[in-house]
Amino acid sequence: VQLQASGGGLVQAGGSLRLSCVASGSIVRINYMAWYRQAPGKQRELVARFLSGGGAITYGDSVKGRFTISRDGAWNTAYLQMNSLKPEDTATYFCNAYGRDSLTAQWNDYWGQGTLVTVSS
């Protein structure tokens, strides 16, 4: 199972970016998909999480009202729409999914490679 994140880049403060995360491989069921971020010298923090059962969404306090997580109908792709970006949003953004492998029937925590978002002031 692989998670491929994309969409990062350099943007001015106040601008927008849309990140994508594509899940591929032998994953048969996803419990949730999420985005985390990690800035240099800081701990990784939750940005947003989308639960498959019931569709509950959780946002980190620092991004509420500015970021929106969504997904496609098949739960193969998660998106993070980031608006009104601030310099403090600069970080590497990681895609995360918790799902069951169709080959092993094991539930696993999967991580993508990260995509860098840089917001200039």
Side-chain angles (χ1 to χ4, degrees):
V1 176
Q2 289 187 332
L3 298 180
Q4 182 69 43
S6 62
L10 174 64
V11 64
Q12 288 188 333
S16 299
L17 281 175
R18 188 190 195 207
L19 306 183
S20 299
C21 173
V22 179
S24 62
S26 59
I27 189 166
V28 67
R29 181 178 176 182
I30 291 178
N31 179 262
Y32 65 77
M33 295 188 80
W35 289 94
Y36 283 77
R37 69 185 182 185
Q38 188 167 18
K42 295 187 177 181
Q43 290 187 336
R44 189 172 295 189
E45 63 173 348
L46 175 69
V47 176
R49 180 186 296 125
F50 199 144
L51 292 178
S52 63
I57 295 176
T58 301
Y59 291 102
D61 289 340
S62 61
V63 306
K64 286 180 181 177
R66 300 187 297 121
F67 290 11
T68 303
I69 189 172
S70 62
R71 50 88 175 177
D72 68 347
W75 281 93
N76 291 329
T77 304
Y79 304 97
L80 185 68
Q81 178 65 43
M82 306 184 294
N83 298 328
S84 302
L85 282 161
K86 304 175 182 180
E88 51 264 43
D89 294 318
T90 295
T92 298
Y93 285 70
F94 297 90
C95 178
N96 169 240
Y98 185 70
R100 189 173 69 184
D101 189 298
S102 62
L103 299 179
T104 66
Q106 297 293 318
W107 287 88
N108 296 303
D109 200 25
Y110 301 100
W111 290 89
Q113 85 288 0
T115 184
L116 179 62
V117 172
T118 303
V119 184
S120 63
S121 58

